[in-house]
Amino acid sequence: MALGYKIIMWDVLSFDWDKSITQERCFNNVTSKAKPGSIVVFHDSVKASKHMMYTLPKVLEHFSKKGYSFKALEF
C-alpha cells in the first residue's frame, strides 16, 4: 500500500483469450458463474477481441434484464 495501490481480485474469468472455445462458451463461462458482487475479467487485447466484442454486450444485456447494475470500483 506504500504506492497507494489497492489490490482487487476477480472471481469470474471469461476465458475470452482462449481460441479453443466458442463465443457461446465464453458467454456461458460468465453467466453460469457470476453472482451479485462478482468481478468478471475480460481482456482488451487483439487475442481476446473476437470473443470479448461478442460476449461483453450479451453479458451486460443478460444481467441488466435480471436487474443487475454495473459500477466502477471506487477507492
Side-chain angles (χ1 to χ4, degrees):
M1 198 76 171
L3 296 175
Y5 296 115
K6 190 171 191 176
I7 296 173
I8 306 293
M9 297 301 294
W10 50 268
D11 66 322
V12 178
L13 184 58
S14 67
F15 288 92
D16 55 350
W17 49 266
D18 187 344
K19 301 243 185 249
S20 72
I21 67 169
T22 65
Q23 293 172 329
E24 292 77 20
R25 174 76 187 270
C26 184
F27 173 78
N28 288 333
N29 285 339
V30 177
T31 58
S32 68
K33 294 178 176 75
K35 58 186 182 296
S38 283
I39 296 177
V40 180
V41 175
F42 283 97
H43 297 86
D44 61 347
S45 67
V46 172
K47 185 177 180 180
S49 64
K50 183 179 175 185
H51 283 12
M52 189 272 293
M53 296 295 286
Y54 171 86
T55 305
L56 182 56
K58 292 185 178 309
V59 165
L60 294 173
E61 179 182 4
H62 172 84
F63 285 109
S64 292
K65 286 180 178 177
K66 291 182 170 278
Y68 285 72
S69 60
F70 309 94
K71 299 179 182 179
L73 298 175
E74 296 183 26
F75 301 98

